[in-house]
Amino acid sequence: MSAALSALRGLAAPGLLLALPAACLIWAWPVELHGWRAVAIVSAWAGTALLVGSTLLMVRAARLAALFGGLDAQYRWHHLGGTVAYALLLAHPLALAAAAWQESPRLAWEVLSPWAQHWTVWLGWAALGLLMVGLAATFSLHLPYRRWRALHYLAGAGVVAGLIHAWTLLAQPGPLALLLPLAALALCWRLIGSDLGLAARPYRVRSVAARAAGMIEAVLEPCGPRMAVSPGQFVFAAFGDGPGFRGCGEFHPFTVSSIGDDGALAVGIKALGPCSRHVQGLTPGVAVRLEGPFGRFLADRADGPQFWLAGGVGITPFIAALRAGPLQQPTTLLYFYRSAQDAAYLEELRSIAAADACLTLVAEAAAGPPPTLDVRLSEVPGLGARQAQLCGPAALVEAARGALLSHGMPAAAIHFERFDFR
Amino acid sequence: MRALFLVSTVLFWIVVAAAWVSALRPLAPAPSDVSAEPRYVLADIAQHGSVDDCWMAIDGVVYDFTAYLPEHPTSPRVMAAWCGKEASEAYHTKTRGRPHSSYADGLLPAWRVGVLAAEP
C-alpha cells in the first residue's frame, strides 16, 4: 500500500472530528451575538458535534477501522475528541452564567442552578453529569474491566441526553437532524452489533493446546462465511458455551497465531484478566463469535530487511507470519520472555529458524525491559536499514523504540500497534 | 487528555461554587425606577404557564405575552413552550444561534408587567 494512502487513512479520523464542528458552526455562527452569549453558542455546537464525531469513532467494525488507519488510532481519536468535547460542553453553561453575571450574580446562579430550571435544562445537566462519570472511569486505568465498561456506558447515555437537551431547546433542529440519528446509529451498532455480537461471525473451537504457563492456543473453525485474515492481525472473540465449559460472553481482542487453508484460525490467549483466565479451561466444541479482522501490523513486512522484537505473548503475530511460509526478507527476531515456562512457541521458533536461512532467532529470558536490549540491538547487522516491528508490553515497546532511535533508526521505520482498547 | 479532563472538571466546579457563593450575598438596593414596578419570582411566573395566560421572564424583566402569542411569526407552539418560564436563553438564541431582531426588542416594552426578583 502506498505511503500516500496510509497518510490519507491517518487523516480520516481527525478530518471527521474537524468537519462536523465546522459544519455546525457555519450553520449556527452567532452573527448578531457578542461576548459570553456567543461563546455559549459556539461551545455548545462545537462540543455537541465533536461528541457525535467521537461517538462515531467508537464503532467497532473492521472496514471502518481500516478507513481510520486501525482500531488503535481510531480509539485514540475517539478519546481525544470526547475529552475536548466534554471541556467545550462544560464551558457552555458557564458562558451562559457569565452573560447573566453582567446583570447580577444572583441571575448567574439562577442560570446554573438546576432547580431554577425545567426538564429540558435538567437533561443538559444530566448529560454533563453522565459524561463526567463516564470520562472519570475512562481515565481510571486501574478499574476492573467490567466495572470500567459499565461506567463507560454512562458516557453514551450522556451523549443521548445532551442531544435531546439541544433538540428540545431549539425551535429548528438544523444540524441536529443529522447529528441525532448518526449518534443513535453509532450507539446501536456498538451495543447491539458489537457488544451483543449481532454482527459477529459464528465459529467453533476445534482444538485447544497449552503453549506456555497461563497461555493456550485455540483453533477456531468457521460455521459460516470465513474471515479473510493476514498474519499480524487480531480478532475480537467472545467464547460461549460448550461441552464442560460456560463462556463469559465478553468480546476481547486476541491475536491470530495461525491461518489455515480451510478458513480455520488459531488465536493465542494469555490469562490477563478474569475472562481470559476463565478461557484457559476452554474445550473443543465451544461456540465462538468473532469480529474483525483488525490491525495492519506486519502488513508491510515485505518492504525490506526486518527487525522483529517480541515480548511475552507479543510473539503471537510473528509466529503467525512464520507459519504462513518462508520469509522473503532477512529477518532478525529478538524474543524476550520472563522464564522458560512463559516462552510460548520457543521450540517451534527454533525449528523454523533452523530451516529458514532468512531468520535469525535471539531468544532470552528477561523480566521487564531487558538490560541487554542495547547490546542485542548493536549485534543486529545493518539495523539502521531495517524495518522494525515491535509487539509486547507497553514498557518494552517504549524502551525498544527509544533504543532503536538512539541507534539511528528513523521513526518512520519503527512499527507497533497499541493493544489496550480501553 | 487525562490532564485536560481533570483541569476542566476542577475549573468547572470552582466556577459553579463561586457563582453559588456570590448569589448568597445580599442584593444591592434596586434603582428607584425599577423598585416601583411589581416584582415577581419564578414561582409567580410559573402560574402563568399556558397559551391563555402566558408570562415569561427575559433578562430580569417579566412580560405578559398572552395577547401577543397569536401574532408571533413562527408557530405559536414554539413560543408557548416557554410560557411560565425564564426564557432569556430562548429569546437570545432563537434559531441558528441568532438573537431576536432589534425590532423584536422594540416590541418588548409593550408587554412588560414587572421585574424578576430573586427567589426568597
Side-chain angles (χ1 to χ4, degrees):
Chain A
M1 191 185 64
S2 71
L5 188 56
S6 180
L8 273 179
R9 284 182 166 168
L11 291 175
L16 175 76
L17 290 180
L18 286 174
L20 282 177
C24 287
L25 287 177
I26 288 169
W27 187 85
W29 190 256
V31 284
E32 294 177 37
L33 282 176
H34 302 286
W36 285 112
R37 196 158 284 278
V39 172
I41 300 299
V42 169
S43 63
W45 276 109
T48 303
L50 206 51
L51 195 62
V52 172
S54 168
T55 306
L56 291 173
L57 291 175
M58 167 212 65
V59 172
R60 193 173 71 213
R63 285 183 185 173
L64 208 60
L67 175 72
F68 289 128
L71 199 61
D72 61 334
Q74 180 185 325
Y75 280 7
R76 277 202 304 279
W77 285 110
H78 160 69
H79 288 148
L80 180 65
T83 311
V84 175
Y86 166 77
L88 285 166
L89 292 172
L90 284 184
H92 170 62
L94 298 185
L96 286 174
W101 186 283
Q102 291 157 351
E103 298 291 327
S104 79
R106 196 166 284 252
L107 199 59
W109 173 242
E110 283 182 7
V111 169
L112 290 174
S113 166
W115 41 88
Q117 307 293 341
H118 45 95
W119 70 272
T120 51
V121 180
W122 294 341
L123 267 176
W125 281 106
L128 285 182
L130 289 165
L131 287 173
M132 203 172 281
V133 175
L135 263 69
T138 301
F139 293 117
S140 302
L141 298 178
H142 300 298
L143 270 182
Y145 174 73
R146 287 173 187 169
R147 194 172 301 164
W148 173 87
R149 192 178 64 165
L151 289 171
H152 198 60
Y153 278 139
L154 293 179
V159 174
V160 175
L163 287 169
I164 297 175
H165 159 77
W167 182 279
T168 49
L169 274 176
L170 290 174
Q172 289 178 345
L176 286 175
L178 175 68
L179 295 181
L180 195 58
L182 273 180
L185 267 175
L187 287 166
C188 286
W189 180 270
R190 178 57 199 253
L191 280 172
I192 300 168
S194 296
D195 292 348
L196 295 178
L198 205 71
R201 298 186 190 209
Y203 275 66
R204 184 177 292 109
V205 177
R206 179 188 288 169
S207 61
V208 182
R211 292 298 178 202
M215 182 183 171
I216 59 165
E217 184 179 53
V219 178
L220 316 174
E221 58 190 13
C223 301
R226 61 178 67 174
M227 214 178 256
V229 184
S230 303
Q233 290 193 297
F234 61 95
V235 294
F236 276 80
F239 292 92
D241 298 338
F245 182 82
R246 183 167 285 275
C248 47
E250 292 172 1
F251 280 91
H252 288 279
F254 300 107
T255 302
V256 171
S257 58
S258 180
I259 301 150
D261 292 335
D262 58 352
L265 302 174
V267 290
I269 304 171
K270 176 87 175 167
L272 295 171
C275 188
S276 53
R277 257 197 303 277
H278 177 71
V279 172
Q280 299 300 306
L282 193 65
T283 55
V286 168
V288 194
R289 288 169 297 160
L290 291 189
E291 290 177 8
F294 296 97
R296 293 200 68 258
F297 190 60
L298 298 181
D300 301 325
R301 66 184 186 281
D303 287 355
Q306 300 284 300
F307 168 70
W308 294 355
L309 183 139
V313 71
I315 192 64
T316 314
F318 300 116
I319 193 75
L322 293 168
R323 284 169 168 175
L327 294 173
Q328 305 299 313
Q329 298 287 347
T331 301
T332 295
L333 169 57
L334 193 50
Y335 177 23
F336 291 109
Y337 47 87
R338 281 182 186 278
S339 64
Q341 303 101 293
D342 298 308
Y345 309 111
L346 187 54
E347 285 313 309
E348 188 178 349
L349 286 167
R350 284 180 175 144
S351 299
I352 294 171
D356 192 336
C358 282
L359 178 64
T360 304
L361 173 67
V362 180
E364 185 174 312
T372 56
L373 182 62
D374 226 31
V375 177
R376 296 284 170 262
L377 291 182
S378 61
E379 291 168 355
V380 178
L383 181 66
R386 293 180 182 238
Q387 297 286 313
Q389 316 276 356
L390 317 177
C391 188
L396 173 64
V397 170
E398 200 47 48
R401 187 172 174 274
L404 286 166
L405 289 172
S406 68
H407 275 78
M409 184 175 276
I414 304 171
H415 311 281
F416 56 91
E417 288 185 355
R418 291 179 179 85
F419 210 61
D420 181 5
F421 296 113
R422 281 197 178 192
Chain B
M1 280 183 282
R2 192 168 190 265
L4 175 61
F5 170 75
L6 288 173
V7 169
S8 58
T9 304
V10 168
L11 280 178
F12 175 79
W13 286 115
I14 287 173
V15 174
V16 169
W20 177 62
V21 169
S22 302
L24 294 176
R25 291 189 309 186
L27 281 175
S32 56
D33 56 332
V34 173
S35 62
E37 283 193 75
R39 297 169 69 81
Y40 302 100
V41 294
L42 286 173
D44 299 320
I45 296 161
Q47 291 173 8
H48 305 271
S50 69
V51 289
D52 299 318
D53 182 15
C54 179
W55 286 23
M56 293 181 204
I58 297 172
D59 294 340
V61 179
V62 181
Y63 300 95
D64 178 357
F65 288 127
T66 311
Y68 174 71
L69 269 186
E71 298 172 33
H72 191 254
T74 64
S75 162
R77 188 172 55 88
V78 172
M79 196 173 165
W82 292 95
C83 292
K85 292 168 186 164
E86 209 294 324
S88 304
E89 183 183 352
Y91 182 81
H92 287 294
T93 57
K94 202 171 58 165
T95 58
R96 303 179 63 175
R98 290 176 169 80
H100 278 75
S101 63
S102 51
Y103 168 74
D105 291 341
L107 292 178
L108 282 180
W111 313 104
R112 179 171 179 146
V113 293
V115 292
L116 183 65
E119 295 290 336

